[in-house]
Structure formats: structure tokens, C-alpha cells
Amino acid sequence: MIKSKSIALPIVILAVFSILIILGTVFAFVSLTDGQLGIYNYNAYPTCIKLGLDLSGGAYAVYEVDEENLPESMTDGENDEQEIEMAIEGTRASLESLLFNKGYTEAQVSVYGRTIRVEVPDVDDPERIFELIGRPSSLEFKEYTDAETVNDTLMTGDEIAETGVTYNSETGYYEVALRFTSSGTDKFAEITSDLTGKNLGIYINGEYVMHASVPEAITGGQASISGQYSYDDAYALAVQIQAGSFPLQLNMRESSTLTATLGDSAIRAGVIAGLVGLLLIVVYLIAIYRLMGVAASIALAYYTMTYVFFLAVFPWVQLTLAGIAGILLSMGMAVDANVIIFERVKEEYAKGKSMRMAVSEGFKRSLGAILDGNITTIIGAVVLMLVGASTIKGFGITLLIGIVLSLFTSLLITRILLKAIMAFHSEKHAAMYALKRKTEEDDVQEENASEEEVQGGATV
């Protein structure tokens, strides 16, 4: 006889998971806009997932280092190759910072030998980006006296860490903000101390761009260039200065813009494949493992909702075609863990253990095999994230999130749900969980199979 107190907790557990799955489904697929919530617009999880270049469209360009115009310091010593590699990495970092500061937060900048590939998804003005990145540049600060006089270089652009645009509410105009590196801070303080009351000129590629008066020594590592600038004027000047801080000059080798048409069809195909796969998995689990399959299916629904949520909120996730493949693969591995567990449970029950003891032993005995398989996959995903190209990184990130989440759901959530469902049944309901005892006939069959294996081995 099952006492009412013994099923109170299982009822609460099943009710909580049912509510979580229902709410997760609503939040994942229902968007509320146009005042449907009164003062707040809500976007469903999938609409918040950042998409890569191949799904959202955008622009990409490949640049080569201009080796004919390398700095002299990189062509006159034994460590030239190492210095060039460091300069390429510095250029990559400057490009990444430049694009991020200009609002292209999803841009990807990757180095392949002496080429640099830039990908900017979901962008409306690719030509502006191409011009920004590909402009050969060499920034210099010099004392300015007049347009005809060219003075010695006091400082170069590689001492600038960041540029931006700020608004001066007192003057009503925009300004260009500069932030210097640690060494640049000291150097700029010295220069402005010497030029107090004079003018400091900015030159790019040896050509005069503009000059600004120096009212006092600037020692804080930050400075601003003021004037009657509109936002576009200040932005253009900031771009020129930032581009001039690249350690190397770049030449564009190829560029292209991509539409989101392919991405829309790929997302649609991925969603269909995922839904069909989930449906087939649920049918298989329930058909083979019955109520154990029901528990696994509920856990799989929880896994899916949580997975979509993490893809939407994790800032480093940028979904690509490869990322969709990582999602589908991790879903398959989540089911694989449940299959291993359930087979162990069936083995333990067949040996004569009770249903609940078989479940406990089944989870315990399958833990090692599950961890071994998943940890090796996690290591592979981490390696892809660290050394892979941008699209391969997307695969690694989605796979890593999916594997970690699948371990949590298969080892904990499935176990909680299975024990909650079993609270409503006794040993006589073992068949409802696809469990059965081992019979004498099964023992005879196993012995015969073993003998056949031995005989077969002796023949060979």
C-alpha cells in the first residue's frame, strides 16, 4: 500500500517540472510586443541569440600585411620574424578594439599566417568598414607651427590604446576622446608639458590632418580633441586616428557581402531537424524504456528549454551553421547518457534487486562510462574554442554548453524524475519500466552463447 505522505513530494516535484517546462516553452517561443504587456516588450529566447555571418548576413574581408612597407625595426635584425608576428597580433587586437568601439560588437578578427580575416555580421554599411580597415595608416604627433614646416616626430600611433567620440554638453559639440597606453601616458605628458601654449599636429601617412592647441600638460593618460565637430566629423577623425594606431599597414585581398537568405533557410532547416529529431528520440525512449523513457523525455524537454536560454544569454555565443551542428550533436549525446543509464538499471533489476535499488545502482555504475565519454568531448570542444577558426569556435561553444547541460540533466534531473514517477508504483509494475527478472532460460541462452564464442575462437 502506498501512503499519501510518500507521494506528496513526488507530486510536488512533477508539478514543479511541469510548470518549468510550460513556462520555458512560452518564454522560448512567444514574443510580446506592441504594448501587450503594458510597459514592457518581451522577446522570445531564440530571437535574442546572436547570429554569425553565415546566418545573419554581413560583410567579410581578408587583408594581407604590406611587406613592402614594413617598419625598419622589423627588417634589420635577427628577430625580424618574431617582431612581425607580434606586430600582426597587435594589428589584430587594434582592429578588434576599433570595430568594437565603433559599435560592431559581434565582429570576429582572425589571423592566418600573414593574412587577417575580418567578419562583421548583420552590418548595413560594409563599404565603410572596408574603408576603415583597409586604409594604410601611419599616425604621428608633431609640433605644429605652420602648414609649410614639418617638424620631428614626437610620438606615434602605437601609443594610443583607444579612441572614441564624446559629447560636450557645455559647448554643444562632439569631441574626439583619446586613451593612451601606459608608456604613451608618460610620453604624452612629457610632450604636452614641452608644448604648453603651443600647437600639437596630427599627421597620417606623412600628411597633415589637423592640429590642436595645448593649454596645459596632460598627465592622466586621456585627452580630448575639441572643436566645432558634428558627430559625423568627430567619428571620422576618431576613425582616422584609431586606424593610424595599427602597427602594420594592410592591403585588402578580397571582400564580400552576404545576405541573410541562406541563413534563414539554414535556421529553418536546423529547427525542423531538431524538432523531428526530438520527436523520434521521445518515441524511441518511450517505446523501448516505457516509463523510464517518459522520465527521460521530460528531462529532455527541460534540457531543450534551458539550452535555448543559455544560447540567448551567454555573451560569447554567436550561432553559426557549425554551431547548429554542435547543438544537434550535444542533443544526441544527452540521449546516449540516458540509454547507458537505463541499460544498467535493467541489468541490476535482472540480477534480483528491487526497482529503487536497481535505479540507484544503475546510475552509480553508469557514472564512469558517461563521464569518460563526455569529458573527452568537453576537452575537444575547449580545444576547438581556443585554436579553431571563428566558425569552428561556434561549434565548440555550442557543443560545450550542450554537453555540460546534458550531464546535469541526465545524471540529476532524469534521476529525480524517475524516482518521483516510481513513487506511484510498486514492484509488480516493473514491466511498466521495461524491467524484468533473469529467468533460467536466459541463463541457458547466455551459457550457450559463451560456449559458441569459445568454440569459434578455438577454430580460428
Side-chain angles (χ1 to χ4, degrees):
M1 179 178 178
I2 301 175
K3 298 181 180 179
S4 59
K5 288 184 179 179
S6 65
I7 63 173
L9 181 58
I11 290 176
V12 172
I13 291 173
L14 294 175
V16 168
F17 274 101
S18 298
I19 293 172
L20 287 175
I21 291 172
I22 292 172
L23 290 178
T25 304
V26 172
F27 289 144
F29 300 109
V30 178
S31 294
L32 299 175
T33 57
D34 300 327
Q36 290 174 309
L37 290 179
I39 60 174
Y40 181 72
N41 290 336
Y42 172 76
N43 296 317
Y45 296 158
T47 63
C48 300
I49 299 176
K50 297 181 288 294
L51 302 179
L53 185 67
D54 51 358
L55 298 181
S56 65
Y60 82 89
V62 178
Y63 297 91
E64 291 180 333
V65 173
D66 187 352
E67 299 192 29
E68 295 182 358
N69 292 295
L70 292 174
E72 292 184 4
S73 61
M74 300 181 190
T75 58
D76 60 358
E78 296 180 356
N79 299 320
D80 292 344
E81 191 64 31
Q82 183 178 359
E83 291 183 11
I84 292 174
E85 290 179 2
M86 293 176 61
I88 291 175
E89 177 58 28
T91 302
R92 185 207 64 79
S94 296
L95 276 171
E96 201 168 65
S97 175
L98 169 63
L99 292 168
F100 184 87
N101 293 330
K102 301 314 176 214
Y104 305 110
T105 57
E106 308 305 324
Q108 297 282 337
V109 184
S110 307
V111 174
Y112 304 94
R114 295 198 177 185
T115 63
I116 297 177
R117 181 183 175 91
V118 180
E119 298 178 355
V120 187
D122 197 20
V123 61
D124 297 325
D125 53 351
E127 293 302 325
R128 189 174 191 179
I129 293 176
F130 296 154
E131 179 187 359
L132 164 66
I133 299 171
R135 178 185 298 144
S137 53
S138 176
L139 176 68
E140 298 171 311
F141 291 93
K142 302 179 181 181
E143 181 182 355
Y144 177 84
T145 52
D146 56 64
E148 303 297 329
T149 304
V150 179
N151 294 305
D152 294 335
T153 300
L154 302 174
M155 184 175 173
T156 58
D158 57 2
E159 304 286 358
I160 297 177
E162 184 180 339
T163 67
V165 177
T166 59
Y167 178 73
N168 190 325
S169 58
E170 295 181 1
T171 63
Y173 292 103
Y174 289 89
E175 299 178 351
V176 178
L178 306 177
R179 183 173 65 82
F180 298 97
T181 63
S182 57
S183 60
T185 298
D186 297 334
K187 189 175 292 187
F188 196 73
E190 181 183 348
I191 292 172
T192 52
S193 177
D194 294 339
L195 295 182
T196 299
K198 300 180 181 179
N199 294 319
L200 180 65
I202 296 177
Y203 297 78
I204 292 180
N205 293 339
E207 297 181 1
Y208 167 78
V209 175
M210 57 89 63
H211 68 273
S213 61
V214 182
E216 60 184 356
I218 300 173
T219 59
Q222 296 183 350
S224 61
I225 302 174
S226 59
Q228 296 182 348
Y229 296 128
S230 64
Y231 175 81
D232 289 339
D233 293 336
Y235 178 88
L237 180 56
V239 165
Q240 279 187 292
I241 295 174
Q242 182 75 57
S245 66
F246 294 169
L248 296 172
Q249 294 186 19
L250 303 175
N251 294 325
M252 182 186 293
R253 190 177 73 186
E254 63 176 285
S255 65
S256 180
T257 57
L258 302 176
T259 66
T261 303
L262 176 62
D264 291 339
S265 61
I267 294 173
R268 192 179 305 110
V271 170
I272 294 174
L275 292 176
V276 171
L278 278 175
L279 179 61
L280 293 176
I281 288 170
V282 168
V283 171
Y284 171 81
L285 288 173
I286 295 176
I288 301 299
Y289 299 106
R290 302 182 189 177
L291 285 181
M292 286 198 296
V294 171
S297 299
I298 297 173
L300 189 60
Y302 173 83
Y303 164 85
T304 303
M305 298 300 105
T306 309
Y307 198 176
V308 175
F309 171 75
F310 284 150
L311 292 176
V313 300
F314 280 5
W316 56 84
V317 173
Q318 190 173 35
L319 193 61
T320 61
L321 286 172
I324 292 177
I327 293 173
L328 299 178
L329 177 59
S330 60
M331 289 172 59
M333 295 193 68
V335 177
D336 180 63
N338 284 320
V339 171
I340 293 174
I341 292 169
F342 294 159
E343 289 299 325
R344 293 292 187 273
V345 172
K346 291 172 67 175
E347 289 176 6
E348 294 300 317
Y349 185 80
K351 293 177 181 178
K353 294 186 171 119
S354 67
M355 284 171 46
R356 287 164 182 77
M357 182 60 68
V359 169
S360 297
E361 289 297 317
F363 274 89
K364 185 184 299 183
R365 286 190 58 200
S366 60
L367 180 62
I370 293 173
L371 289 180
D372 286 344
N374 284 274
I375 288 175
T376 54
T377 306
I378 289 174
I379 293 173
V382 171
V383 171
L384 291 176
M385 290 169 55
L386 295 177
V387 302
S390 58
T391 54
I392 301 302
K393 287 181 180 178
F395 175 82
I397 291 172
T398 56
L399 181 61
L400 177 62
I401 295 173
I403 293 301
V404 173
L405 187 58
S406 72
L407 283 174
F408 173 75
T409 54
S410 60
L411 295 177
L412 181 62
I413 303 301
T414 300
R415 185 170 186 169
I416 293 173
L417 289 169
L418 185 55
K419 287 191 172 183
I421 294 174
M422 278 188 171
F424 296 90
H425 302 100
S426 61
E427 295 294 326
K428 65 180 181 180
H429 300 108
M432 297 175 64
Y433 294 87
L435 301 176
K436 66 176 182 178
R437 300 293 188 193
K438 185 181 294 186
T439 63
E440 293 183 2
E441 183 179 348
D442 295 330
D443 291 334
V444 172
Q445 290 178 352
E446 288 183 4
E447 290 178 3
N448 292 336
S450 299
E451 291 178 0
E452 291 177 1
E453 290 178 2
V454 172
Q455 293 175 356
T459 302
V460 175

